[in-house]
Amino acid sequence: MDRKDAVIVGWSHSPFGKLEAEDIEALIAMVGSDALDHAGVAPQDVDYVTIGVLNCGFSRQGFEAGLVSVAVPGLEHTPAMHVENACATGSAAMYSAMDAIEAGRARIALVIGAEKMTATPTAEVGDILLCGSYRKEEDRLPAGFAGIFGQIAGSYFQKNGDRSEEMAMIAAKNHANGAVNPLAHMRKDVGFDFCNTVSDKNPRVAGPLRRTDCSLVSDGAAALVVTDRETADGLARAIAFRARAHKNDVFPLSRRDMTEFAGARAAWDAAKTTAGVALDDLDFVETHDCFTVAEMIEYEAMGLTQPGKGWTAAREGLTRKDGKLPVNPSGGLKAKGHPIGATGVSMHVLASMQLMGEAGDMQIDNAKLAGVFNMGGAAVANYCSILERVK
């Protein structure tokens, strides 16, 4: 490994849910100093800070990078930059910090992802999230951003049959996993029957999607400290990137096969090739289940099944904690929550905890190699990391 390769050396993670923290500044304060303490790094040694926040209408306060100077003592004069890339905002912030390390422009960087969503009226949330869609064509879909994935699910069903049961299996799996995650927004195993039944408590939301097929509106923050390998040698831990890849796809759904997730497949293929591994080499995956249909198609994109057969992985139990490839042992976005800017950072924190053997009741036995996939929009911005513990 090159001495300039960026590695993760510390982290912090707030609970996700409806939090008392009143704004982004308070959320940044919840995790910034704690991540530095966990890494064993002093604020004055931080060269660069990236802040991942979507906002896009959740708050009147923009210029989120400026909040570092008031939320994290000791970073008043440290260069900081706000990064946004839809639901992949957290990973984009992390990759930006890693770029600075690997270019030699920084030795230690702090990455913070955060979002305050629950203070916004529910009726407005869906429209705000449509900023992650191509509004010229997709602005008038019913049910806000859920309408995008309702359309994707409907198209998938037309090609591959009604897969509502398999989506319910995915939801039930992730809720069962989230029930033992102390950081999760929803810590309740609701069971397959509830997820598979339309009811007053589980109504249709968009197309074939039920409420249990949709991730939660949450507040939360997560932070990572990244350094070069030489600096990490003097610290307590190091999680390395065997590979990382970022691939995009065409923005409008009308100009591509919306059920293919070609950009996600390209990111996975690039990461696996660079890492020199096959999917079978991974011990678990944290993937972007903003909607259950997304996780199902991502099974195909990562190469777990053939195209159009992602539903078989759910039905055969391949992605359960005791299956061939555990997927979302944290509960995923579905149960853990999806505070947009925090999500990509959170996924890497939870994967790092697994690799350190510090995931508690979530722990996958003997986890050595992890895959993390985070996407922005409907598989438009696609980030894939393959992580391993090196210290």
Side-chain angles (χ1 to χ4, degrees):
M1 179 179 292
D2 190 286
R3 307 305 287 175
K4 289 294 186 184
D5 285 346
V7 297
I8 297 169
V9 295
W11 51 80
S12 179
H13 197 300
S14 81
F16 282 2
K18 188 171 185 178
L19 305 184
E20 292 182 3
E22 65 178 354
D23 54 22
I24 290 293
E25 179 184 337
L27 288 168
I28 291 172
M30 287 179 72
V31 296
S33 295
D34 285 351
L36 296 178
D37 289 344
H38 187 247
V41 168
Q44 61 266 26
D45 293 326
V46 177
D47 303 301
Y48 184 53
V49 182
T50 54
I51 301 291
V53 178
L54 175 74
N55 196 341
C56 203
F58 285 120
S59 168
R60 292 186 64 201
Q61 175 65 65
F63 193 15
E64 290 87 352
L67 296 174
V68 176
S69 66
V70 291
V72 187
L75 298 184
E76 291 82 1
H77 305 292
T78 305
M81 183 174 72
H82 170 230
V83 177
E84 182 273 309
N85 212 12
C87 301
T89 287
S91 291
M94 186 184 69
Y95 279 29
S96 175
M98 294 175 68
D99 289 344
I101 299 291
E102 294 174 1
R105 294 187 292 108
R107 186 173 63 93
I108 298 174
L110 174 64
V111 182
I112 300 175
E115 210 74 58
K116 179 70 179 181
M117 302 175 72
T118 66
T120 301
T122 303
E124 296 177 23
V125 170
D127 183 68
I128 289 172
L129 295 179
L130 276 172
C131 70
S133 69
Y134 187 60
R135 281 192 181 268
K136 283 185 178 180
E137 296 181 2
E138 298 156 12
D139 195 43
R140 292 184 180 148
L141 286 173
F145 197 68
I148 301 290
F149 278 86
Q151 189 176 52
I152 290 171
S155 182
Y156 188 92
F157 285 13
Q158 286 180 351
K159 291 182 177 182
N160 305 301
D162 187 328
R163 297 303 164 193
S164 297
E165 282 194 3
E166 289 83 5
M167 293 198 310
M169 291 172 185
I170 291 171
K173 166 185 71 73
N174 290 347
H175 278 297
N177 291 348
V180 296
N181 181 354
L183 301 168
H185 186 159
M186 185 172 178
R187 299 186 60 196
K188 184 178 181 181
D189 184 353
V190 297
F192 167 76
D193 288 341
F194 179 80
C195 294
N196 195 45
T197 304
V198 175
S199 64
D200 289 344
K201 292 185 177 181
N202 189 29
R204 295 277 184 197
V205 174
L209 299 179
R210 300 146 297 197
R211 181 175 291 164
T212 49
D213 293 308
C214 308
S215 58
L216 301 164
V217 174
S218 310
D219 308 328
L224 289 164
V225 179
V226 294
T227 74
D228 59 55
R229 182 62 191 276
E230 185 173 2
T231 300
D233 286 345
L235 300 173
R237 68 189 63 79
I239 304 295
F241 288 73
R242 180 81 73 88
R244 62 184 177 108
H246 170 201
K247 300 290 185 179
N248 266 44
D249 204 348
V250 177
F251 199 0
L253 290 174
S254 65
R255 302 183 199 179
R256 56 189 168 101
D257 181 346
M258 70 178 72
T259 67
E260 185 183 354
F261 284 19
R265 180 179 295 276
W268 268 105
D269 287 349
K272 288 186 292 183
T273 298
T274 299
V277 301
L279 194 70
D280 286 345
D281 296 317
L282 302 184
D283 296 301
F284 70 95
V285 167
E286 287 286 340
T287 201
H288 192 100
D289 60 320
C290 50
F291 300 90
T292 54
V293 68
E295 180 170 328
M296 188 162 63
I297 297 173
E298 286 158 22
Y299 296 160
E300 302 169 17
M302 69 177 73
L304 184 60
T305 75
Q306 292 297 313
K309 298 293 185 179
W311 56 274
T312 63
R315 183 158 288 279
E316 294 170 14
L318 301 183
T319 57
R320 293 162 56 102
K321 283 184 75 172
D322 59 355
K324 174 184 176 182
L325 180 66
V327 174
N328 288 333
S330 69
L333 285 56
K334 179 77 237 1
K336 176 164 58 86
H338 186 22
I340 306 297
T343 287
V345 182
S346 167
M347 296 169 87
H348 286 83
V349 169
L350 270 293
S352 297
M353 290 170 61
Q354 288 277 2
L355 295 172
M356 290 298 298
E358 299 172 356
D361 290 338
M362 297 179 284
Q363 188 67 49
I364 301 298
D365 291 341
N366 201 33
K368 303 293 185 186
L369 201 61
V372 177
F373 175 74
N374 179 209
M375 72 182 185
V380 177
N382 303 276
Y383 292 80
C384 186
S385 304
I386 296 179
L387 304 177
E388 61 183 340
R389 178 181 178 178
V390 293
K391 185 176 181 181

